[in-house]
DNA sequence: CTACTAATGAGAACGGATCGCAAAAAGGAG
DNA sequence: CTCCTTTTTGCGATCCGTTCTCATTAGTAG
C-alpha cells in the first residue's frame, strides 16, 4: 500500500502525516495528538493511533518500537538510526552510521533468515547532561 | 546493589533467578511465572515482576526492552546481542558479534554522552522458515 | 526465643493501545 | 446535483501488561 493507493485521503490523515513530517522529536501518539488537536480540535486519540498504524503499513512512517514504555513514531523513513536519552526519553537521529555490521555471519550462527537489524544508541542528552553538571 | 547486598534471600527470589539462568528462551514475566509455579505453586505474578525488577537493578538480569509488546528477560548478563523472529517472537542469542560500532563518532554528531548501544537483529527463525516453506 | 523490617500474595488500579459500533465523510455513478 | 457504497471517524468500552496497595508472612540479627 502506497500513498497513492490509500483509499481515502481524509483531512485527519493529511494533518497527521504533515505534522509527523514537520517534527523532529519522534513523538508518541499522544504527543502527536496534542499537536494535531491545534488544527483539528475534535480529532480523537483513536484516530491518531489508527492512522499511524495505516501510515506505517504504507511505509510512510516508522514505529520506533517501545523506546521507553510508549511507542514513538518517525515521519522520516530514510535509513538512519537513533539515540535515546536514558533520563528524559528524548530521541534524536543519527544519520551517519559509524558501524559495520555483517548479517551473513549471523545467518550462519543462528540459522535465521535475517531481514534486518537495528542499532540504537543510548546515553544522556546535552540538556540532561547540563542539568546534572549544575 | 549486588547479590551479596540483597537484604533477604527468599525462596521465591532464589527460584526465580535459578529458573531464569537455566532457560535459554528469554522468557516474558508470565512465561517465567508459569515455570516457577511448578516449584512454588502459590507464588504470585506480582512477585515475579518485583524480583525481575530487583534482579535487574542488581545487575543480575537483563530486561530486553521493546521485543514485541511484552518485556523479555535474560539471566545471562554477559555481552551478547539478540535476534528476534518477526513471526513468532522467539529470541535467540548471538555471541559472536560481527559488527564494529564507533560510539565516539556518535558523540561528535549528537552531543550526547553515550553510555552504550544495542544491536538487535530480526528475521525469521528456523522453525517459522520451515513452516512457511511447506 | 523476640523484634524489626523486607518481601510476599491477592487483588485493585493504572496506562497505553485496540476494538465495536453508530454516525459522518469520501468518492463514484448517473 | 442526488443516491449509493465503502471507508473513516469519534467516542466509549475493553484489553492486557505492569505496577501499586496493604495486610500478612517470613528472613535475619541479636
Ligand atoms: Zn535527556
Ligand atoms: Zn528518526
Ligand atoms: Zn519464529
Ligand atoms: Zn540473551
Amino acid at each position: 500500500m502506497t500513498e497513492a493507493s490509500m483509499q481515502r485521503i481524509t483531512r485527519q490523515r493529511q494533518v497527521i502525516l504533515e505534522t509527523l513530517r514537520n517534527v523532529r522529536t519522534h513523538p508518541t501518539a499522544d504527543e502527536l495528538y496534542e499537536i494535531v488537536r491545534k488544527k483539528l480540535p475534535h480529532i480523537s486519540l483513536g484516530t491518531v493511533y489508527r492512522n499511524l498504524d495505516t501510515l506505517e503499513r504504507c511505509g510512510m512512517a516508522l514505529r520506533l518500537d517501545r523506546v521507553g514504555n510508549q511507542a514513538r513514531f518517525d515521519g522520516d523513513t530514510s535509513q538512519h538510526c537513533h539515540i535515546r536519552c536514558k533520563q528524559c526519553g528524548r530521541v534524536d537521529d543519527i544519520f551517519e552510521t559509524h558501524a559495520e555490521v555483517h548479517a551473513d555471519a549471523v545467518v550462519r550462527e543462528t540459522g535465521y533468515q535475517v531481514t534486518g537489524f537495528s542499532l540504537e544508541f543510548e546515553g544522556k542528552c546535552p540538556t540532561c547532561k547540563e542539568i546534572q553538571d549544575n
Side-chain angles (χ1 to χ4, degrees), chain A residues 32-95:
Chain A
L32 196 59
Y33 170 61
E34 287 306 326
I35 304 170
V36 168
R37 271 220 288 185
K38 287 169 188 161
K39 278 207 172 173
L40 305 174
H42 299 300
I43 198 170
S44 80
L45 180 58
T47 298
V48 174
Y49 271 108
R50 255 185 319 238
N51 276 300
L52 285 171
D53 201 64
T54 304
L55 291 171
E56 193 202 4
R57 282 187 289 100
C58 300
M60 297 160 69
L62 292 175
R63 178 190 300 259
L64 307 183
D65 256 325
R66 304 227 179 338
V67 256
N69 45 337
Q70 287 180 62
R72 288 180 172 271
F73 296 86
D74 196 339
D76 183 351
T77 57
S78 70
Q79 172 59 47
H80 66 282
C81 45
H82 297 104
I83 184 163
R84 173 172 51 97
C85 178
K86 274 193 141 179
Q87 200 157 316
C88 68
R90 171 177 154 185
V91 174
D92 282 290
D93 290 318
I94 298 169
F95 290 103

Side-chain angles (χ1 to χ4, degrees), chain A residues 3-35:
Chain A
E3 184 156 11
S5 74
M6 207 156 18
Q7 311 217 2
R8 301 269 198 284
I9 300 162
T10 61
R11 177 108 183 95
Q12 289 90 333
R13 189 163 290 169
Q14 198 178 78
V15 172
I16 288 168
L17 181 56
E18 204 172 275
T19 307
L20 184 59
R21 281 182 173 163
N22 286 331
V23 107
R24 303 277 86 148
T25 54
H26 308 86
T28 60
D30 56 287
E31 283 169 357
L32 196 59
Y33 170 61
E34 287 306 326
I35 304 170

